[in-house]
Amino acid sequence: MPTLLHVVGARPNFMKAAPVLSAARERGLSQFLVHTGQHYDHSMSEAFFADLGLPAPDENLGVGSGTHAEQTAKIMLRFEPVLDRRRPQWIIVYGDVNSTVASALVAAKKGIRIAHVEAGLRSRDWSMPEEINRVLTDRLGDLLLTPSRDADENLRAEGIAVERIRFVGNVMVDTLLRLIDRARGLRMPAAVGVEPGRYAFVTLHRPSNVDDPGTLAELLAALDDLGREMPVCFAVHPRTRQRIQDFRLAPPPSAGGVRFLEPLGYLETVGLVDQSALVLTDSGGLQEETTVLGVPCLTARANTERPITVTDGTNRLVASTRAAIGQAVAAILAARRNGSFEPRRPEGWDGRAGERVVDAIVGEESSLPSRSGSP
Ligand code: UD1
């Protein structure tokens, strides 16, 4: 049986790795967990390990923040000796963060097999760092494990051999379904002082939204407007908090109906999303979680790598302007009143994706074509 080495680094990796680690443990596989330390604040990292029941990492590379080049290079330098010491047959990488591509590049050059969980998603927006990470990681990966059929199509269109592509479904949904009852048990709306079903939940952290003062000001104005309709719970990412300060944009915390919250743990977030009237976000994961929970979602972006959440789910793209968000909120509230809201659960978003990831790795171990010839 192969030895696996999982690499995680940033907040959205943790809920994806949890079900795969657990399925591999049940199959009796030997495995290691490496945390690159890309995210390091308690609220961005340890809080998630605790909520998700993840084992403590076997190694923490402690890379911290920096420019993309600094962060990527540091991960590569510190990851190489770990691979030499642990000698896994496979590394498993998740999603699209800098830790994903950096560790995959090191492993590829050492001839260690790479499984990429959440392969094949494409926004077709090369200005997004995550898009660069996705395309390169899929080019490097031996086994590309996809969450939705559109991802298979994207990979085939890029000329990737079909033998390397496996549709497994969405691992994040495994975690959501496993923990939803615990999240509900926290009674988060009461804990933050809002009424179930009568508030909005907001997260914003993409560079395209928060690194430009004009765009961030528009978004804060949109939140202020929304706060006049209903209380707004805004869980503020450290990057966003920093930018609000840098650009001197912050209204007093008590202004309007907007509550500025610290970044929340996984259960707290799911607990608030589940009971919200709507979500406004630029997160990838929340687009999927709202689809499964049947909560209307507005994604403040020009594109999404998760189009299935729009075609089958509750997601809708909206421009990052006060006017566009105002109109979209009005449309959601009208649709809710008319009862014209019917989400569908996409194929393979069923709580068993982690098992299928492990089946794919174990099943294909011996039969994978060698990558030593043409790439
Ligand atoms: C990263 C991912 C993004 C993901 C997001 C989730 C990349 C390219 N981006 O973006 O895809 O959606 O994580 O959060 O990998 N910071 C802290 N404490 C922390 C971590 C970060 O204060 O624990 C601050 C630092 O000022 C840092 C900034 O946030 O410079 C950005 O962190 P970084 O990991 O570079 O990118 P994210 O914006 O978090």
Side-chain angles (χ1 to χ4, degrees):
M1 290 288 242
T3 296
L4 313 181
L5 188 149
H6 307 256
V7 181
V8 295
R11 188 169 62 173
N13 289 158
F14 306 138
M15 47 289 233
K16 295 169 193 166
V20 182
L21 279 152
S22 145
R25 190 172 50 241
E26 274 168 28
R27 296 283 289 265
L29 297 188
S30 136
Q31 57 183 346
F32 303 107
L33 177 60
V34 174
H35 189 333
T36 66
Q38 177 175 344
H39 284 173
Y40 44 86
D41 284 349
H42 178 86
S43 62
M44 302 289 286
S45 181
E46 281 115 305
F48 282 77
F49 274 68
D51 280 356
L52 299 167
L54 277 169
D58 298 288
E59 310 253 3
N60 192 322
L61 309 182
V63 299
S65 300
T67 66
H68 285 270
E70 284 165 349
Q71 202 171 51
T72 308
K74 252 194 206 170
I75 295 167
M76 291 181 69
L77 285 170
R78 295 187 188 180
F79 185 56
E80 183 167 42
V82 171
L83 274 187
D84 289 341
R85 231 177 312 120
R86 302 283 184 176
R87 301 185 158 276
Q89 275 76 51
W90 285 87
I91 74 157
I92 309 188
V93 296
Y94 297 86
D96 55 18
V97 301
N98 287 342
S99 302
T100 311
V101 69
S103 54
L105 185 51
V106 175
K109 296 221 173 151
K110 289 188 166 290
I112 294 169
R113 284 176 168 173
I114 300 160
H116 182 204
V117 175
E118 201 187 85
L121 298 185
R122 296 289 183 268
S123 65
R124 298 179 174 80
D125 176 359
W126 202 246
S127 71
M128 264 184 106
E130 292 82 1
E131 184 73 355
I132 299 173
N133 295 345
R134 290 181 198 114
V135 170
L136 296 185
T137 305
D138 286 339
R139 195 73 183 77
L140 297 168
D142 296 273
L143 197 49
L144 305 180
L145 302 151
T146 63
S148 48
R149 299 284 182 190
D150 57 286
D152 297 26
E153 289 302 319
N154 291 336
L155 293 170
R156 279 199 288 268
E158 288 173 17
I160 288 178
V162 287
E163 302 83 54
R164 284 164 57 201
I165 307 170
R166 293 282 183 292
F167 170 73
V168 291
N170 191 327
V171 286
M172 222 167 51
V173 176
D174 293 16
T175 297
L176 181 62
L177 298 179
R178 174 168 69 93
L179 294 175
I180 184 67
D181 288 341
R182 273 182 56 204
R184 287 179 179 147
L186 294 180
R187 303 195 187 289
M188 281 303 291
V192 298
V194 291
E195 267 184 72
R198 294 175 177 274
Y199 63 91
F201 181 72
V202 176
T203 76
L204 296 164
H205 74 283
R206 296 260 162 234
S208 59
N209 277 330
V210 306
D211 285 3
D212 173 68
T215 309
L216 185 53
E218 278 281 308
L219 286 165
L220 291 175
L223 295 193
D224 203 46
D225 292 345
L226 181 54
R228 291 171 214 282
E229 296 268 347
M230 61 179 90
V232 175
C233 300
F234 181 17
V236 189
H237 185 286
R239 171 195 281 277
T240 310
R241 189 171 292 277
Q242 190 61 48
R243 295 295 181 266
I244 290 174
Q245 273 169 19
D246 294 346
F247 305 147
R248 299 181 201 287
L249 288 172
S254 59
V258 185
R259 290 144 210 243
F260 289 75
L261 309 174
E262 292 300 316
L264 299 169
Y266 178 76
L267 294 172
E268 294 169 327
T269 303
V270 169
L272 275 180
V273 168
D274 178 53
Q275 296 291 314
S276 64
L278 67 97
V279 167
L280 171 65
T281 191
D282 56 13
S283 148
L286 278 176
Q287 296 174 53
E288 299 178 340
E289 286 155 348
T290 47
T291 277
V292 173
L293 295 171
V295 173
C297 181
L298 291 177
T299 298
R301 284 176 47 187
N303 46 58
T304 177
E305 61 288 335
R306 293 164 161 89
I308 199 165
T309 61
V310 177
T311 54
D312 289 28
T314 59
N315 191 20
R316 173 175 167 183
L317 299 180
V318 64
S320 300
T321 65
R322 183 179 193 172
I325 292 170
Q327 280 168 16
V329 166
I332 285 178
L333 297 180
R336 276 235 138 169
R337 275 192 295 273
N338 302 335
S340 57
F341 205 76
E342 281 187 30
R344 280 182 287 166
R345 177 93 58 91
E347 179 189 0
W349 294 27
D350 58 357
R352 312 289 298 270
E355 292 164 34
R356 290 191 287 267
V357 167
V358 174
D359 287 347
I361 293 170
V362 171
E364 297 303 312
E365 237 259 300
S366 50
S367 60
L368 268 179
S370 163
R371 293 290 301 280
S372 57
S374 75

